[in-house]
Amino acid sequence: MSELTDEGSRLPDFSPVDGSSRLPEFDPGAVGVRSPGPERRSVRIAAPLKARGARAEVSRLLAGVAGERCVNDALLVVSELISNADRHGGGLREFAAGVEDGHLWLEVADHSEVLPESAAHDPLVPGGFGWSLVRRLSADARIRPWTAGDGPGKTIVVSLRLE
């Protein structure tokens, strides 16, 4: 079973100054805010967002900085995380992605405290492989509790190497 942890993460810390694990507030009408500079680019989007929109943003972030295989892996991870937030996590709260120091990082926050599992699965039953796939394709994967005080939830943070 997975555990909620933020200790020892090699991922950038995107928590507010007060140290909470909540992602920064966003303008709900925003379609994306990118930081300047080619070496460090990011986007943060408040829900509602579907996997298609998140994939488009990640494709733009990776343009010119990642090879085709890396982009394909990243888009698959994005699809899994966003779809699972909708399907199993009570809906997406926020999505963030960025390119920094040779890595793509992704943050997906949802409304559920239920942790993803990599469980033994019946090969004749469809589904159930998403979290294993995300972990296999990622250099690092962490889960932080949602501590905003506006209901339960979690944030899944992953990093993929840009190759």
Side-chain angles (χ1 to χ4, degrees):
M1 175 170 254
S2 301
E3 64 183 49
L4 289 171
T5 181
D6 195 26
E7 296 177 16
S9 176
R10 293 175 289 145
L11 302 172
D13 181 12
F14 297 99
S15 297
V17 178
D18 66 7
S20 73
S21 63
R22 183 175 184 197
L23 294 172
E25 290 296 323
F26 297 103
D27 172 6
V31 292
V33 179
R34 290 179 184 76
S35 66
E39 63 283 341
R40 182 176 181 181
R41 301 186 275 179
S42 64
V43 62
R44 289 187 173 278
I45 303 170
L49 176 73
K50 297 297 179 196
R52 180 183 203 171
R55 284 192 309 269
E57 290 296 333
V58 169
S59 291
R60 282 190 275 280
L61 284 173
L62 295 178
V65 297
E68 182 179 0
R69 180 177 176 190
C70 179
V71 171
N72 289 338
D73 288 351
L75 298 181
L76 184 56
V77 169
V78 167
S79 292
E80 282 296 328
L81 292 175
I82 299 288
S83 297
N84 286 342
D86 283 339
R87 187 175 298 127
H88 306 292
L92 180 71
R93 281 185 192 267
E94 295 171 322
F95 169 78
V99 173
E100 186 174 358
D101 297 329
H103 284 81
L104 167 71
W105 54 263
L106 304 166
E107 292 184 2
V108 176
D110 66 29
H111 295 271
S112 174
E113 293 176 327
V114 176
L115 302 177
E117 292 184 18
S118 297
H121 189 75
D122 182 346
L124 300 176
V125 178
F129 300 101
W131 184 238
S132 295
L133 181 68
V134 166
R135 292 185 63 198
R136 181 169 297 174
L137 294 175
S138 301
D140 196 11
R142 306 285 174 157
I143 303 170
R144 297 188 314 224
W146 183 264
T147 58
D150 62 344
K154 64 185 171 295
T155 301
I156 296 178
V157 184
V158 300
S159 171
L160 290 88
R161 285 183 194 87
L162 299 179
E163 303 176 285

